[in-house]
Amino acid sequence: MEQTLAWIGIGAILIVFLVVFVIASKRFSKRAKMKKEFYAKADRQRANMLKYKDADADVLRSAPAAEMIEGLAAGVQEEIADCAAPNAAFRELPLWRRYAYAAYYFFSDSEIKLSGFFRNSGEPLLSTAMECLEKTGMEEYLSLIRKEYEMLDDDNDAVSVEETKIAAWDADFARLDREPLRQRVKEIITQAHPGA
């Protein structure tokens, strides 16, 4: 009887060990994948930053929109990252570079949820993004963007936050193809370039 209990105990320990091993392996694999994706993104951003660092308006016009916006934004990030007053440094940048930086964060955050951009961002990023987006004139997108901006604006006491409306607007925005908006934003950035 004691031998049977000993074998049952050993079996239970082995099962627990296997479960812990499988869970640890999955976590390790997930972490390794996330780390690989992080470094791939950093390498891509650096390459795009170098590609568009000194680009003239003609190069910007012929560039893929997402790549150009990401490269210009990475350049801005590198420039203002170590500033004692990054917001002041951002405001001193040429308009086309501010637009690119704000557009990058707008498209990145709104890829998950439109409200994500407004919840994660503050000034001067919000007003810069809104200024750039308004210049597109693309009402299909702007009607949703304006609604969320007004509702999630901390300084707007006239509108209360209604999570059901935000969720509905997020869902409506998610159904839209954002590539035409990205292309139009690219045009706005290029037009603001001094060599345009």
Side-chain angles (χ1 to χ4, degrees):
M1 185 68 157
E2 287 180 18
Q3 269 188 333
T4 306
L5 289 175
W7 283 111
I8 291 172
I10 291 171
I13 290 171
L14 286 173
I15 290 170
V16 168
F17 174 77
L18 285 173
V19 168
V20 169
F21 179 77
V22 168
I23 290 171
S25 294
K26 286 182 181 180
R27 285 189 180 166
F28 178 78
S29 295
K30 186 176 179 179
R31 258 184 119 169
K33 181 182 175 188
M34 288 173 57
K35 189 175 180 181
K36 184 178 178 181
E37 289 171 357
F38 172 81
Y39 284 114
K41 181 179 179 181
D43 289 344
R44 184 189 71 235
Q45 287 178 337
R46 178 128 183 93
N48 287 337
M49 179 189 72
L50 295 172
K51 185 175 183 178
Y52 297 106
K53 186 174 186 173
D54 297 317
D56 61 20
D58 290 332
V59 170
L60 297 181
R61 263 191 287 282
S62 64
E67 180 183 285
M68 181 204 82
I69 291 168
E70 180 180 67
L72 293 175
V76 170
Q77 182 62 40
E78 182 177 72
E79 188 172 329
I80 67 173
D82 295 327
C83 291
N87 286 344
F90 176 79
R91 287 184 179 101
E92 295 298 317
L93 293 170
L95 184 62
W96 63 281
R97 293 187 72 208
R98 292 194 316 259
Y99 281 174
Y101 187 76
Y104 173 76
Y105 283 100
F106 171 79
F107 286 113
S108 294
D109 289 349
S110 66
E111 192 63 36
I112 299 164
K113 285 184 183 178
L114 176 59
S115 60
F117 174 70
F118 297 110
R119 292 183 197 272
N120 296 336
S121 304
E123 289 301 335
L125 194 64
L126 284 172
S127 57
T128 304
M130 288 304 295
E131 181 181 325
C132 179
L133 292 165
E134 286 289 350
K135 288 184 176 184
T136 67
M138 300 179 80
E139 285 301 319
E140 181 180 12
Y141 303 93
L142 288 171
S143 63
L144 295 168
I145 292 167
R146 284 185 199 118
K147 288 176 191 175
E148 290 214 11
Y149 177 64
E150 289 173 12
M151 187 168 282
L152 294 172
D153 181 2
D154 292 336
D155 297 326
N156 187 354
D157 295 330
V159 180
S160 298
V161 175
E162 295 181 47
E163 294 297 336
T164 54
K165 285 185 178 181
I166 292 170
W169 296 332
D170 282 344
D172 290 344
F173 192 77
R175 284 190 283 275
L176 296 173
D177 177 9
R178 286 176 287 292
E179 195 53 33
L181 180 62
R182 193 183 327 264
Q183 290 296 327
R184 184 66 186 119
V185 165
K186 176 190 138 180
E187 292 170 15
I188 300 298
I189 293 166
T190 305
Q191 290 165 5
H193 190 282

